[in-house]
Amino acid sequence: MYDIIIIGAGTAGLSAAIYSLRAGKSVLVLEQKPSYGGQIVNTPKVENYPGIPEISGFAFAKSLYEQAVSLGTEVLYQKVIHIEDDGERKRVYTDKEFWECKSIILATGAKNRPLGVEREEELIGKGISYCATCDGMFFRNKEVAVVGGGNTALEDANFLSNYCRKVTVIHRRDTFRGSQKNLLRVQEKENVVFLLNSEVTELLGKEVLTGIKVRDKISQKEQELEVSGLFVAVGQMPENEIFSEQIEIDSAGYIIAREDCRTSREGIFAAGDCRTKAVRQLTTAASDGAVAGLAACEWCDSE
Ligand code: NAP
């Protein structure tokens, strides 16, 4: 029986673990992926975390993980499939076994949103990728495209431009969600071109991706681009369906919780990108971890 079980070993989950352990609680972190870190491990460079001018996402995650483990966090790589709460104790069922605790912190983050074009899934790993840092090297000296207008798309385009012959950024509008700094950095690259007000309508190639069709939303004209890679960076979506019997989830799938990280059920907290919030950043994930961790400790003490 643990005091606190944290579901998710990303920034929010590991930050919650640090705060909970420092308050003297026993903590188990369950992570469904085979490794810790969450989304940030795919970010080549983090430049907006207060106090750390520049660090790679992987280095950040590794340091956070080591800090949590050195304090006594136990991390198990098991997929949570169900949670139960009988009022006295809470049970977390994984694909292997079940665990009991007084309090649960949900820090499940979000997964990549698919573009929604036909044959997208079939071509994953055969030209379609959701992670430029992981797969960029496979496209050295080749032509690729990036879809999206947020910071991820801009950072991906910047990263890929260092390896690829040409990078085309395809965005459905003509203004960007990503920061001005990231945009300027990409605009300065000679091998990056922009197709704005445009959308990918078709994926070409039988066994592997050989090109894409792109439609200009204003003129309705369609053109074919020869690319061997298409990096999809159109945001994230939460994965909270399995908790929907116990706690309230909004129509977009986010766990309903305010800045105090309390969910609709006592003793269950939500931290980071998985909850309803206005700003989803590394800093706010860490901040949520602290808030949820301390709230869970308070709940355990009141039990
Ligand atoms: P995001 O900010 O939500 O941007 C997603 C982009 O994809 C938007 O430009 C959106 O277009 C576009 N899009 C969404 N669905 C689409 C579809 N079906 N077809 C075509 N385009 C579509 O997502 P993100 O870039 O992954 O960033 C997520 C969060 O992490 C943000 O808060 C971001 O600032 C943060 N982040 C920060 C850093 C950093 O600071 N270093 C790095 C990466 C990410 P519209 O604009 O038209 O909606």
Side-chain angles (χ1 to χ4, degrees):
M1 169 104 171
Y2 287 87
D3 290 319
I4 301 169
I5 291 182
I6 298 169
I7 304 176
T11 302
L14 292 174
S15 301
I18 289 169
Y19 273 79
S20 307
L21 279 147
R22 285 173 59 88
K25 302 293 180 253
S26 57
V27 176
L28 171 66
V29 175
L30 295 168
E31 167 59 53
Q32 66 170 349
K33 296 211 184 81
S35 59
Y36 60 81
Q39 293 173 63
I40 199 61
V41 296
N42 299 327
T43 300
K45 219 192 279 180
V46 178
E47 292 175 309
N48 57 3
Y49 195 85
I52 306 176
E54 191 181 309
I55 189 168
S56 76
F58 180 74
F60 178 87
K62 185 167 181 281
S63 173
L64 185 59
Y65 172 80
E66 286 171 354
Q67 187 181 4
V69 169
S70 72
L71 288 166
T73 305
E74 289 176 54
V75 182
L76 288 178
Y77 296 96
Q78 298 185 3
K79 184 179 167 64
V80 172
I81 50 172
H82 182 58
I83 58 171
E84 270 177 18
D85 180 10
D86 69 6
E88 271 183 39
R89 63 182 63 186
K90 298 174 188 355
R91 265 191 188 178
V92 178
Y93 291 82
T94 73
D95 49 359
K96 295 199 171 72
E97 55 207 307
F98 73 83
W99 302 95
E100 289 187 331
C101 61
K102 296 179 187 162
S103 179
I104 299 175
I105 298 176
L106 305 171
T108 51
K111 65 174 182 184
N112 294 316
R113 177 182 290 132
L115 187 58
V117 182
E118 224 173 292
R119 298 182 60 227
E120 181 175 358
E121 208 174 319
E122 175 195 324
L123 291 169
I124 292 173
K126 297 169 184 167
I128 297 286
S129 169
Y130 301 85
C131 178
T133 351
C134 320
D135 301 332
M137 294 299 242
F138 299 126
F139 299 90
R140 190 180 276 277
N141 298 325
K142 298 193 170 155
E143 295 197 10
V144 299
V146 176
V147 199
N151 276 321
T152 304
L154 294 174
E155 288 190 357
D156 283 0
N158 181 52
F159 179 80
L160 291 165
S161 69
N162 298 324
Y163 302 98
C164 302
R165 194 163 61 229
K166 184 177 167 191
V167 180
T168 304
V169 177
I170 301 161
H171 179 33
R172 64 184 179 184
R173 295 189 294 131
D174 60 1
T175 54
F176 287 82
R177 233 174 245 280
S179 71
Q180 194 63 15
K181 185 177 173 202
N182 273 339
L183 179 60
L184 285 174
R185 187 153 49 191
V186 180
Q187 282 171 333
E188 279 166 9
K189 296 280 182 142
E190 279 179 5
N191 59 342
V192 178
V193 295
F194 289 84
L195 284 180
L196 303 180
N197 295 312
S198 298
E199 58 192 1
V200 177
T201 52
E202 204 177 321
L203 305 176
L204 307 171
K206 275 193 182 138
E207 301 296 320
V208 294
L209 186 80
T210 54
I212 51 177
K213 276 191 186 168
V214 181
R215 181 167 50 218
D216 183 311
K217 291 170 75 183
I218 294 169
S219 67
Q220 294 300 320
K221 279 194 182 142
E222 211 160 48
Q223 62 170 307
E224 272 187 32
L225 287 188
E226 270 185 37
V227 291
S228 39
L230 178 66
F231 289 83
V232 178
V234 296
Q236 280 84 40
M237 54 189 204
E239 269 186 299
N240 297 316
E241 300 81 26
I242 57 163
F243 310 120
S244 61
E245 276 177 29
Q246 278 74 31
I247 52 171
E248 284 176 20
I249 310 261
D250 76 3
S251 57
Y254 292 98
I255 298 163
I256 297 177
R258 290 180 306 193
E259 293 307 307
D260 61 7
C261 296
R262 286 171 203 277
T263 67
S264 56
R265 189 173 279 260
E266 298 259 50
I268 302 184
F269 303 88
D273 285 6
C274 67
R275 77 165 176 91
T276 47
K277 54 166 47 202
V279 181
R280 291 192 172 85
Q281 289 282 306
L282 191 58
T283 330
T284 58
S287 152
D288 269 14
V291 174
L294 293 175
C297 293
E298 200 182 312
W299 169 262
C300 292
D301 292 340
S302 71
E303 276 292 274

